[in-house]
Amino acid sequence: MSPVPTWWNRQMIGKTLWERQLHQRGSASALAVTEALVVVHERHTRLVCLDRHDCSVRWDVPIGTWPRAVVVAGDRCLVLPQDTDQLFCLDLTTGSAVWRAGLPQYSGHVVATAETVVVGGWRGYTPMLAFNVKDGRLLWRTQRRVATVRPLSWNGGMLLGEGSEAWSMDPRDGTELDRWRLPEPSVETDDRPAFTMIGPDRCLVPCGPRSVASIRLSSGLVERFFHHDADLSSSAAEFIGGVVWLRERGAGYLAVDPGDGSVLWNVDVGQPLVGGVVRDGEGFVVASAGGVLFRLRSDGHILERSLSATRVAALRDLGAGKMLMVTKGTLRMISIDHADEVNPVSTALRPGPSGFRTSGQL
């Protein structure tokens, strides 16, 4: 084995508060987080609720294999396993079953508000159905199959999209509230998020291989927010620390000004980065699939990098200097430490069209 280069930090960025063995490949879609709890699928068929602070087990129940979704809505946890055509609703405090509802085969997408959970529309396989969160009562069902990217709960409505159109509906009765024409067809993100709120009135959606569109709820204005000269990853933008983050296909991240869509900086580390940007004081942390963590300054310069000793699937920003790392077989809670002074080891940046600017100029 080749020796670790001297410019690598042998200590991982941040401090591991706890680590949970999942006994299977970690998945960001089989995970839900609240202020006090972490709900995660593990051991092939188990759903486990952990105390977010010390990893103690609150409950552990059989639920089925590889959930397409784990969603927390108030005091309920909604789970859609792949091996049964049923939606399960559990009490978040105890893990006991509150209700379950039969679904058409191959149902996917689960989006909840405080009162309603809407299921269906994944790949256009099924109709969409809505249930009362408290008692599982069927509220409505579309007459035909519906195709949509994963919907987003937005300002009391639910935002959907397919092809060159996006529309909002009332989750309580399924009526359409508004409809927009996109500049290009929306990207198929499968079961991953497609829409990103960057304010109460504004939402982003990837369109075509290289563009991102902006939808304004109040005015109905739809415009091209960003266009790149290379293909972007087929995933939703991330809005972290006042910056819009876009992943390049098979490469790094672009940091984009949410106001005018100009490129602030490009994080290019020579290897693909996984989804998930984490705030680190005024800076950020990102990770490669190979298990390398990168600490970024507020202008995107790489200050530090370290090996995590395992492959990484995703990062989840929890705020207050905390993050969850989903790895090949574990779930790890990390407190990010803040070094007063760290010398840059590499800039690994390319200027955008408008030159370099720091996030403090937003």
Side-chain angles (χ1 to χ4, degrees), residues 12 25 47 74 127 157 179 186 189 204 242 244 272 275 282 293 361:
M12 194 181 77
R25 177 172 52 86
L47 193 70
R179 184 170 287 262
S186 57
T189 57
L204 301 180
V244 174
E282 294 184 356
L293 293 176
Q361 291 177 296

Side-chain angles (χ1 to χ4, degrees), residues 14 32 41 141 162 181 183 212 237 273:
H41 186 260
R141 172 183 175 135
E162 170 66 12
R181 185 76 177 176
V212 178
L273 296 176

Side-chain angles (χ1 to χ4, degrees), residues 325-347:
M325 178 191 293
V326 183
T327 78
K328 182 179 180 181
T330 69
L331 184 65
R332 187 182 299 174
M333 176 70 76
I334 297 172
S335 175
I336 306 170
D337 55 359
H338 301 282
D340 292 333
E341 292 185 6
V342 183
N343 294 323
V345 295
S346 171
T347 57

Side-chain angles (χ1 to χ4, degrees), residues 36-334:
L37 303 172
V38 175
V39 181
V40 62
H41 186 260
E42 64 177 49
R43 290 175 289 154
H44 190 59
T45 61
R46 311 293 296 190
L47 193 70
V48 179
C49 181
L50 308 172
D51 185 288
R52 176 166 152 172
H53 304 291
D54 61 12
C55 195
S56 58
V57 177
R58 297 287 189 90
W59 47 260
D60 180 341
V61 299
I63 202 65
T65 61
W66 290 110
R68 292 194 173 99
V70 176
V71 176
V72 170
D75 60 356
R76 298 287 190 261
C77 180
L78 301 149
V79 190
L80 181 58
Q82 290 193 29
D83 63 343
T84 177
D85 300 318
Q86 295 186 86
L87 176 67
F88 292 83
C89 178
L90 309 179
D91 184 291
L92 184 59
T93 303
T94 65
S96 59
V98 180
W99 54 264
R100 66 178 65 183
L103 301 172
Q105 191 175 22
Y106 305 125
S107 289
H109 296 327
V110 178
V111 184
T113 67
E115 301 176 347
T116 309
V117 54
V118 178
V119 187
W122 176 58
R123 297 182 178 179
Y125 288 157
T126 67
M128 300 191 75
L129 301 87
F131 303 91
N132 182 286
V133 168
K134 294 299 181 183
D135 58 19
R137 175 169 45 92
L138 180 66
L139 301 177
W140 54 266
R141 172 183 175 135
T142 59
Q143 295 182 347
R144 301 176 181 176
R145 293 185 296 177
V146 176
T148 177
V149 296
R150 188 203 286 188
L152 174 72
S153 180
W154 188 24
N155 199 32
M158 200 157 284
L159 183 61
L160 305 89
E162 170 66 12
S164 296
E165 299 210 324
W167 64 98
S168 64
M169 69 178 189
D170 189 327
R172 297 168 296 185
D173 57 19
T175 57
E176 185 174 304
L177 302 174
D178 212 337
R179 184 170 287 262
W180 302 273
R181 185 76 177 176
L182 301 175
E184 291 184 73
S186 57
V187 172
E188 177 53 62
T189 57
D190 201 37
D191 61 346
R192 302 182 306 277
F195 298 108
T196 305
M197 283 193 297
I198 61 171
D201 187 57
R202 193 167 171 224
C203 189
L204 301 180
V205 57
C207 291
R210 300 184 175 185
S211 296
V212 178
S214 167
I215 302 173
R216 293 187 183 271
L217 185 62
S218 59
S219 65
L221 176 66
V222 178
E223 57 188 352
R224 194 185 304 274
F225 166 74
F226 177 79
H227 182 76
H228 197 32
D229 58 2
D231 287 355
L232 299 171
S233 173
S234 57
S235 58
E238 298 174 56
F239 187 51
I240 301 292
V243 177
V244 174
W245 297 82
L246 304 172
R247 287 168 62 200
E248 295 179 292
R249 186 178 295 276
Y253 268 105
L254 294 170
V256 177
D257 187 321
D260 60 17
S262 62
V263 175
L264 300 172
W265 60 79
N266 185 337
V267 181
D268 184 359
V269 299
Q271 54 186 303
L273 296 176
V274 301
V277 177
V278 177
R279 291 164 289 176
D280 175 29
E282 294 184 356
F284 307 93
V285 172
V286 296
S288 73
V292 182
L293 293 176
F294 300 87
R295 188 197 299 276
L296 309 179
R297 204 166 62 191
S298 61
D299 60 0
H301 283 76
I302 299 174
L303 295 176
E304 183 182 2
R305 60 183 81 192
S306 67
L307 296 169
S308 71
T310 185
R311 294 186 63 83
V312 177
L315 300 181
R316 174 77 68 88
D317 181 25
L318 302 181
K322 301 291 194 302
M323 72 175 179
L324 275 176
M325 178 191 293
V326 183
T327 78
K328 182 179 180 181
T330 69
L331 184 65
R332 187 182 299 174
M333 176 70 76
I334 297 172

